[in-house]
Every structure is written in structure tokens, then in C-alpha cells.
Amino acid sequence: MRPNSQPEESHQRSQKVRLAARMNNQSQVLETFVKKIFTFLDEKDSQQLAPFLQCFDAANSKVIVNANPFAQAALFLETWQRGVVQTQHVLTGMDYHVIPGTGSTVCSVNGKVRFDESGKDKAGQDSVIPDPSAGNPVPISGSLNSSTPAAKHRPLWGPYFGTSLQLVLDDRVLNGDQNCVISSFNYTMVYKPDDSLMAL
Amino acid sequence: MQNIYQNPVAFAQQNALERRVKVGVRGWQNATKQDLISFVSRKTRIAIMDSTVEGNQVVGFVSSQSDAQSLTNWNGVRFAGNALKFEILGDGSTPSGSGTSKTIMLLKAFLYKRYRPETKMLDLGNLRNDPDLATNGLFSSQSTQSKIFPAMMKLASNESQLVVESINLSDNQLRDLNMISTLAQTYPDLKNLCLANNQIARFRVLEVWKNKFKSLRELLMMNNPITTDPLYRTEMLRLFPKLVILDNVLLRDENKLQQIYTVPMKLQQFFFETNELGQSSIDFVSNFLTLWDTDRTQLMALYTPQSQFSVAIDSSVPTSSVPNSDQNPTFGYYLPLSRNLTKVSSERTKQQRLAMGQESIDKIFKSLPKTKHSLQEQPTSYSVEAFSYPQVQGFIITLHGFFEETAAPEIDANKSTPNPAGGRNRRFNHGHNNAANKLGKKSFDRTWVLVPSQGSVIIASDLFTIRPFADGSWTPPLSSQQPTQPNAHPASPAAPQPQAQPHVQPLMQGIQGPTLATPSLVMPPEIQSKLNPLQMELLNKLHQQTKLNAEYTYMLAEQSGWNFDVAMKGFQESVNNIPREAFV
């Protein structure tokens, strides 16, 4: 067996060298992709989300958020878009393994997220009932008036929550292809500040 | 009596003794009493005299009320890894003490007299004209008045029987909140507050309550000058983000308010794609961690030459308002191993820190501190998701939780790190001391990719993130956790646990509660036995999406030829014609 193992070892070594050369590039591509996912999650305008949906493997993607499964990625995106106020994600940690021979990569991501606690949803609507006594509400800077939802409102960021995200991705993502690459998306909020107005 | 001219020193001493105030300090356990006293005097320039240890607190005396007050301003100051908490326990044990305790008795009785348990309301309205308070002279002068309310609040917060959701403070001639500002500390979750018939005139005085009372739903301020201000409504909306009713007028749409401040994906502790996967994941995790804590070498059997392992350190410190978060974490042992790709830029390092095959994995395992996980003692501190991973014909398990570092690693990575660049790695040579390696608690997220193989499993990939300790977001708040703690192991008091497999048993008990709470479909056994796991999965999925009961979920699945999309479409089309009893 000895003579055999020699060439194999050197073969492995050269493979490792090639792997190393590619890896730096790969991990950067992956980091960019993860940041892109975070940007999509933070997106206020649902019109911009079509490319995000395309990142999911439409046929068999698994989406789990806070240990709740979603039958389809589209359903998750819709719930996120409609039911969650504007968010801001920050990437704090990331690592990944290419699983040889499977065409897939598993990636573990850590980050933090904060919510717009101004009391407005993504569309700028709040819960305030128009004042019946005031004929013409006086708009005040940064006001809570619901009369002007279209006016650009500045989010009032709350404290950061911790998040942990596991992705199973198609290897193609490492070459910059982002079409249908997400086959699993497991997103969990792992710690929460007790002074946030948000309930999990 | 003392004569100041005969013995001025003794008089001064006596006087000082009378003025001194008893204080208590909690959260000092990691050090000696003497260390604590010297720390406090160094830090705050206030001396605590005649200190003794009483239970879990150090009790002593400071020389005046103002010293005691300024000491409480230091609440939360960190000492030996803990936040200190200072409390004023009242005047000294000098003769005046008996008067104080009499007042305390009086106020306690008063509180219970004014408490309405059926409505969870504490009625502190019109205190001035209360006969009990008046006859005891507690409201006789301005100075006693200003003290009486904080004292009452302090007492109330120690009375656990007083569950207070509503407080009435009407008719108290209040001009500002100086007297009652402590209300926000005593009852941060207050739902209803009445301040009617007072003299509050300016918004500024309410500003101390901004960002407090986050659950305040209803506020009554009638007959206060402030209510005539044109900005009254707007300002109240701003100060109290969850205020729904102001002076009997609806301010906010409660449904919309709730929707805005709630994340629709309600946090669950567990997700298992199938019941079977749930069982095997728990077995795997508990067995793995038992060996991880005791003998990591034994785990090598689970790894192959192709298996990969790496550690990533996420050193970002959680906001201080995260319960029990470690604000000063140390990662000395881990940093030389960390493959956090957002932090490591060198290509060579990224490659080096990925362990492939048993030998390199074993080496990193030995370079990580020895640990203890507490799956069975504190099952509520862990959260698991497990689902299938078709590409490897296996599954993926993610565990979130914490561990305790019990000892330094076998191999110190700081010393064994090859240093090819000579003195370039100065961080590790210069100023590297053992203090940076103190052992403590860490939180983690760990993801295993598992491939079943010959009745066992192989770990294809093991991704381990370590971060500063913080309570998990799924952990129930401490107040509700404490009484349930003994119930965490419902079976254990009845019959002693068999010692054979202690690590699996209790964990299961901890898990059973939450899993049952999540909607999971139970089919009649004769039907269940005919179903394959895929069909079961489909039924569960349908059930969760439609909230139909077992019978109707099965009907729906069968009619749609066991196709999820067809079933959902059919459901949506006929949802209005489905009888009410079809839903759970």
C-alpha cells in the first residue's frame, strides 16, 4: 500500500493548494452573498424582493424562522414583508464548509438585528387613530401623525437582537451564481434585549 | 441626657450613630467581604462601616442618608464579574430604628388596605385625606410627604402578593412627578394609570417617564392643566408608545399596534421536521455533548477523513439590556483558532483553521477549553432545529445554548500557533497574560451535518460558533422560571431517576412540554399506521398552514392526491365553505 499512498498524498496536497487559492475568493463571494441576504431582509420596498425569491430553490427549499417552518419561501417573504417592521441587520460572524461530492455548501452566520420601534410598519402606517377633535392635524417633525404615511419617516432603531442563520447552498453560489441556490434557510433570534418594544 | 459641653466627642459620636443608615449590597459573591468593602470605598468614596454578611448580602452602615442615596446611584457597578446592587435598609439600629419599623408596619398595612386584588389595582388616590396617614402625621409636612411615596413604593416592590396592573394617583395635588417618579422602577409593566385631578401643567415633568412604562395601555389625566395644551395628545403618544386609551378616548388601533410590535414568527424552542428526526436529534445532541464534556477523543469515531470542523468566534458583545449578558467576555483560548471569515482576512489562515480529518479535528478539540453543558439541568436554556439535508442523504441539526468552561484546554493554541512571520504576531507575545483566559460561561450555536451510515451516523461537517454568554431569547423570564424550576422534572420527585442514562431522560422531559404545545397532528392509530413519513410530514404541514383538525386535514390531503400545493389551493378556494368544527 505504501507506494500507492505516495502519489495520492501529493495529489491531495496539490488539491489543497488549488483549494486554498480558490478559497479566499470563495469566502469573499459567500460573504457578499450573505450580506445581500441581510440587505434583502432589511428591504422596505416589496417591489425589490423578486430577486431574493429567485435565490431560493423554488421546488424544495426549507425555510425555518424562529423554529417555525414555512411551506414556501414566497410565503416567508410575504409574512416578513407584511408582518415585520423595518429591520437593520449587521453581520458579525460567518463560517462555511463545502461538503465534498454533494454539490452543496453549509454556511453558518451570526449577526445582530434591530427593529424600527417608531410604531410604523414598512409602509409607514402607524396605529394612531386620527384625532377627531382636530380638524387639520398640525404636522410636527418626527411626528406620530398617521395623516402623512407617504412622507419619508426616519426609523427609530431599538436595541439589537442576536441572530443565527444556517444556510444550505448550492455550490454554484461560490462561482457567483445566485439563482435558486438556497435550499435551506434556518433563521433564529438567539438573544433579545428586555428594553425592546418588540415581542418575539 | 447628653450634654454637648461636657462631652462633645461623645455627643458627636452619638449624633453620628443616630444619623447613620443601614445599607445592603448584593451580587458580591465572587469575592470576600473585605474586598467588596475596599472596592466600594475606592470606587464611590463612601465607607461602609460595621459590615457583616447576612445571607447573600453584605449589610453595613454609611454615615448619612445622603451617602446612602449616592451609594444607590452606583447600582450596577461591576465587581468581580457581577453587577452590584445597593439597597437602603433603613436607619441604624439606634433607638430611632424602632420608630422606623413602626412606620414601615403602618405603611404596609396601608398598602394592603388600598389594594384591590380582584382588579389588581393599588388605589393611592387622595392620600392627604386618608385618616390613617393623617393621624400618624405622615402627611403633615412637605418633607415627610416627599419621602412617604418612595418609601411606599419600596415596600410595595417587596410585597410579592401585591400584583399591580393599575394604579390610581388621583387627587394628590401633584405638580410634578418628583414624588412618584420611582413608580416606573417599581411597576415597569404597569398597564393602567390614573393621574386625574392633579396640577400637572408641563410636559417636561413627564419626561422622566419617557421610555418607561412600555406596557402602559390606559392613562387618565383629566383635570390637569396639561390636558388643554394643543400638543397634549401628540406628546402623550410620543411618551407612551403602547398607550391605547387616553382620558377615555381611543388613541391607537390596538390590533394594528400589536401587529407592529410583534414578530409574526413566534419564537419556539424546537423545530423538528419529523417526529422521528426529533427523537434522533435529541439522542445525538445529548450523547455528543456528554462525550464532548468528558472525553472528546471518543467522538473521533464519528468523523471521517473527509469530515470538516471549524470554530468561529463572534466576539460582538450583546446590548447590556440582554438578560444576563456577559459584557466583558474573554476569548483568549479561542481567538487563535477562530475561523470567523468576517474577521480573518489572510487566505492562508482561513485554510489553516479549517480542520479536515480526524487528526486535525482532534487537535482543535484538544485546543478548546474543557466544558460542561447543562442539557439535563437546564433544558430551557437550549434550542434545537433539525431538518433533512437531501444532498447528503442525511440531516442537519443546529443547537443554540450555553456551556460552562471548566478547565484550560489540553493544548494552548496561543503557544502552539506556528509563527511564520517571526515577531509579527505580537498580540500573542506582548501583553498576553492569563487574565485574558479566565474561564466562564459562553453561548454558542453549533451545526452538525449528519449522514446515517451502517446504523450509526457520520459527521460530515461541524460548524461551531462561540459568542459572549447571554440568556437565550427562548428562555422564559426569570420571574416565571423560578416557580416552575422544580416542575422542570415532573417525574423526578415521584421516582428516583435510573442512573443508567441520566443525560437522555431529563432532557426528554424538558422537551416534551414545549413540543406538545406546538401544533402537531395526532391521527387515529389505525390511520397513522398506514401513513408513510412523507405523508405524515405533509399532513403536519397542511395542519399548520390551515389549522384544520385531523379528520379534515386527512380528507384534504387525500382529495388532493397527497400534493401539498394542490391541497393548499383547494383549501384556499373552499375555505369559506368549510364548517367551523373542521378547525382546531
Side-chain angles (χ1 to χ4, degrees):
Chain A
M1 289 314 279
R2 225 157 217 288
N4 260 355
S5 71
Q6 199 75 31
E8 196 166 275
E9 228 169 67
S10 75
H11 170 70
Q12 262 188 359
R13 209 177 306 130
S14 69
Q15 207 181 16
K16 263 194 170 173
V17 171
R18 251 181 292 140
L19 209 72
R22 230 184 320 142
M23 192 174 269
N24 196 33
N25 185 30
Q26 278 184 353
S27 68
Q28 266 161 22
V29 169
L30 202 57
E31 190 176 330
T32 313
F33 181 63
V34 167
K35 282 183 176 157
K36 196 168 163 183
I37 291 180
F38 277 177
T39 314
F40 276 128
L41 290 174
D42 295 341
E43 180 59 59
K44 246 170 54 170
D45 181 1
S46 54
Q47 304 295 316
Q48 308 296 318
L49 286 178
F52 189 23
L53 190 55
Q54 275 166 20
C55 295
F56 288 87
D57 178 356
N60 342 274
S61 65
K62 294 175 208 300
V63 178
I64 299 134
V65 180
N66 286 343
N68 296 278
F70 281 85
Q72 291 148 356
L75 210 66
F76 156 65
L77 285 189
E78 199 186 314
T79 313
W80 183 269
Q81 194 59 26
R82 282 221 194 127
V84 184
V85 294
Q86 197 186 343
T87 55
Q88 197 174 59
H89 282 83
V90 179
L91 178 64
T92 57
M94 193 194 112
D95 195 2
Y96 76 105
H97 292 162
V98 178
I99 314 288
T102 64
S104 67
T105 294
V106 57
C107 181
S108 180
V109 178
N110 283 78
K112 45 187 190 174
V113 61
R114 54 185 184 173
F115 297 90
D116 174 9
E117 297 189 358
S118 68
K120 299 194 180 208
D121 62 14
K122 279 194 180 110
Q125 299 280 351
D126 64 21
S127 56
V128 177
I129 290 163
D131 189 353
S133 64
N136 257 336
V138 200
I140 304 144
S141 61
S143 81
L144 293 136
N145 264 315
S146 57
S147 54
T148 51
K152 213 166 89 182
H153 94 271
R154 209 181 296 173
L156 222 91
W157 295 118
Y160 277 112
F161 288 62
T163 69
S164 163
L165 170 66
Q166 286 73 42
L167 297 162
V168 175
L169 303 166
D170 193 297
D171 274 357
R172 286 180 290 115
V173 75
L174 302 171
N175 301 321
D177 185 352
Q178 297 176 352
N179 206 26
C180 301
V181 288
I182 305 177
S183 58
S184 301
F185 181 95
N186 177 27
Y187 179 103
T188 311
M189 287 167 193
V190 287
Y191 64 76
K192 63 170 182 207
D194 57 11
D195 57 347
S196 170
L197 295 174
M198 299 298 296
L200 279 187
Chain B
M1 282 312 268
Q2 289 281 354
N3 185 329
I4 186 169
Y5 300 106
Q6 279 171 359
N7 193 347
V9 178
F11 182 83
Q13 276 172 354
Q14 180 64 22
N15 206 15
L17 273 179
E18 261 165 17
R19 278 191 294 118
R20 66 186 205 165
V21 176
K22 195 173 179 184
V23 294
V25 190
R26 292 177 195 277
W28 59 282
Q29 275 78 357
N30 291 344
T32 65
K33 186 193 84 183
Q34 197 48 50
D35 283 345
L36 171 78
I37 300 299
S38 9
F39 170 80
V40 170
S41 98
R42 228 177 24 245
K43 191 89 184 168
T44 70
R45 313 244 161 233
I46 296 167
I48 299 181
M49 296 159 290
D50 298 343
S51 56
T52 49
V53 177
E54 279 183 30
N56 61 354
Q57 62 175 341
V58 168
V59 174
F61 297 89
V62 295
S63 52
S64 70
Q65 186 69 34
S66 69
D67 274 3
Q69 283 296 347
S70 40
L71 204 53
T72 57
N73 292 337
W74 288 89
N75 265 334
V77 67
R78 297 200 68 85
F79 169 66
N82 275 329
L84 291 181
K85 186 168 185 315
F86 298 98
E87 279 174 283
I88 301 177
L89 300 174
D91 295 346
S93 51
T94 47
S96 63
S98 63
T100 312
S101 64
K102 191 175 150 242
T103 312
I104 290 174
M105 295 297 285
L106 212 101
L107 285 179
K108 258 192 199 166
F110 175 77
L111 280 174
Y112 277 100
K113 188 183 84 176
R114 293 294 198 99
Y115 178 61
R116 312 267 169 279
E118 56 302 340
T119 50
K120 297 182 180 164
M121 154 131 110
L122 189 56
D123 182 357
L124 301 177
N126 202 359
L127 294 176
R128 201 170 302 267
N129 291 331
D130 187 273
D132 286 358
L133 294 183
T135 50
N136 288 286
L138 289 176
F139 255 68
S140 51
S141 74
Q142 198 68 40
S143 69
T144 50
Q145 273 177 37
S146 60
K147 280 180 199 150
I148 219 75
F149 194 86
M152 232 188 259
M153 284 297 101
K154 178 79 210 152
L155 284 173
S157 57
N158 291 336
E159 297 296 303
S160 55
Q161 284 138 286
L162 296 179
V163 181
V164 175
E165 285 184 355
S166 310
I167 287 189
N168 176 22
L169 279 163
S170 59
D171 302 292
N172 277 315
Q173 299 178 21
L174 299 170
R175 291 184 166 279
D176 52 45
L177 306 180
N178 292 348
M179 198 172 105
I180 57 171
S181 65
T182 52
L183 196 65
Q185 278 97 61
T186 311
Y187 298 113
D189 298 319
L190 195 70
K191 290 196 173 68
N192 308 297
L193 176 64
C194 176
L195 287 169
N197 305 330
N198 284 297
Q199 269 107 48
I200 298 168
R202 293 162 68 190
F203 297 123
R204 235 189 59 199
V205 306
L206 292 170
E207 210 63 32
V208 291
W209 279 349
K210 189 174 186 291
N211 294 327
K212 310 274 164 58
F213 294 126
K214 294 193 167 180
S215 312
L216 193 69
R217 188 177 170 276
E218 184 173 353
L219 177 65
L220 294 175
M221 296 267 278
M222 283 95 87
N223 293 325
N224 279 282
I226 201 173
T227 54
T228 57
D229 193 298
L231 291 177
Y232 173 56
R233 192 182 129 100
T234 324
E235 284 291 300
M236 294 302 113
L237 280 167
R238 183 179 65 85
L239 284 168
F240 304 107
K242 293 192 178 169
L243 194 64
V244 175
I245 300 168
L246 176 64
D247 302 337
N248 295 323
V249 177
L250 202 60
L251 271 190
R252 287 187 169 104
D253 174 348
E254 201 157 14
N255 286 331
K256 179 75 182 165
L257 182 72
Q258 191 127 55
Q259 185 209 323
I260 283 171
Y261 286 122
T262 310
V263 177
M265 304 78 170
K266 198 160 165 30
L267 194 77
Q268 309 280 336
Q269 198 182 354
F270 300 100
F271 169 74
F272 302 119
E273 198 170 333
T274 61
N275 290 342
E276 196 191 14
L277 191 50
Q279 180 60 58
S280 46
S281 311
I282 287 155
D283 288 351
F284 170 80
V285 164
S286 47
N287 290 323
F288 185 96
L289 291 182
T290 305
L291 288 176
W292 178 263
D293 289 343
T294 53
D295 183 6
R296 291 180 194 164
T297 319
Q298 281 196 49
L299 291 168
M300 281 308 126
L302 299 169
Y303 297 83
T304 70
Q306 298 287 309
S307 298
Q308 296 169 73
F309 171 78
S310 50
V311 195
I313 302 309
D314 175 2
S315 54
S316 61
V317 176
T319 321
S320 57
S321 57
V322 174
N324 296 316
S325 55
D326 184 354
Q327 295 295 300
N328 199 7
T330 54
F331 291 102
Y333 290 121
Y334 304 94
L335 284 174
L337 308 167
S338 172
R339 193 170 180 263
N340 180 346
L341 298 173
T342 66
K343 299 276 161 66
V344 176
S345 53
S346 143
E347 179 192 327
R348 186 194 163 88
T349 313
K350 284 177 194 173
Q351 175 68 11
Q352 268 175 355
R353 293 182 182 174
L354 173 64
M356 193 185 258
Q358 282 122 325
E359 199 186 316
S360 3
I361 292 175
D362 191 42
K363 190 170 169 222
I364 303 199
F365 279 11
K366 289 196 168 83
S367 311
L368 291 168
K370 302 204 165 102
T371 56
K372 162 126 183 56
H373 292 73
S374 307
L375 278 163
Q376 69 267 46
E377 298 93 334
Q378 295 175 51
T380 53
S381 300
Y382 295 83
S383 164
V384 185
E385 299 99 40
F387 47 93
S388 62
Y389 187 165
Q391 293 94 324
V392 301
Q393 294 176 312
F395 45 98
I396 185 164
I397 301 177
T398 298
L399 171 73
H400 314 277
F402 82 97
F403 59 79
E404 191 99 39
E405 292 159 341
T406 53
E410 255 171 72
I411 307 172
D412 189 341
N414 286 313
K415 292 183 184 119
S416 64
T417 308
N419 207 342
R424 219 187 64 187
N425 254 348
R426 270 164 70 192
R427 245 180 328 150
F428 298 132
N429 300 333
H430 172 73
H432 174 68
N433 60 16
N434 286 330
N437 285 341
K438 79 173 182 332
L439 301 169
K441 278 199 273 190
K442 295 280 187 293
S443 283
F444 70 92
D445 310 290
R446 193 162 186 171
T447 302
W448 294 275
V449 174
L450 300 178
V451 185
S453 154
Q454 297 159 354
S456 174
V457 287
I458 283 165
I459 299 173
S461 157
D462 182 351
L463 286 158
F464 193 12
T465 303
I466 298 171
R467 47 188 172 82
F469 177 80
D471 275 0
S473 51
W474 56 87
T475 315
L478 200 65
S479 52
S480 64
Q481 199 181 11
Q482 265 165 349
T484 58
Q485 206 104 57
N487 301 339
H489 315 287
S492 51
Q497 293 277 325
Q499 280 296 304
Q501 274 191 311
H503 52 283
V504 181
Q505 268 315 84
L507 179 72
M508 289 309 296
Q509 288 165 9
I511 278 162
Q512 228 135 47
T515 11
L516 285 181
T518 63
S520 167
L521 204 55
V522 182
M523 284 284 166
E526 69 275 15
I527 295 178
Q528 183 121 22
S529 61
K530 286 184 201 141
L531 295 170
N532 66 37
L534 276 177
Q535 287 175 315
M536 237 1 255
E537 194 191 332
L538 176 87
L539 286 174
N540 270 319
K541 236 158 87 175
L542 274 180
H543 168 65
Q544 275 172 3
Q545 294 285 321
T546 62
K547 302 277 176 282
L548 285 170
N549 66 23
E551 188 192 345
Y552 276 80
T553 310
Y554 185 78
M555 266 164 56
L556 180 65
E558 207 172 35
Q559 281 166 13
S560 59
W562 297 96
N563 179 312
F564 179 79
D565 291 338
V566 175
M568 277 312 289
K569 201 155 168 258
F571 171 75
Q572 272 147 15
E573 272 161 15
S574 57
V575 65
N576 294 324
N577 303 324
I578 299 173
R580 177 69 198 90
E581 63 269 23
F583 294 91
V584 286

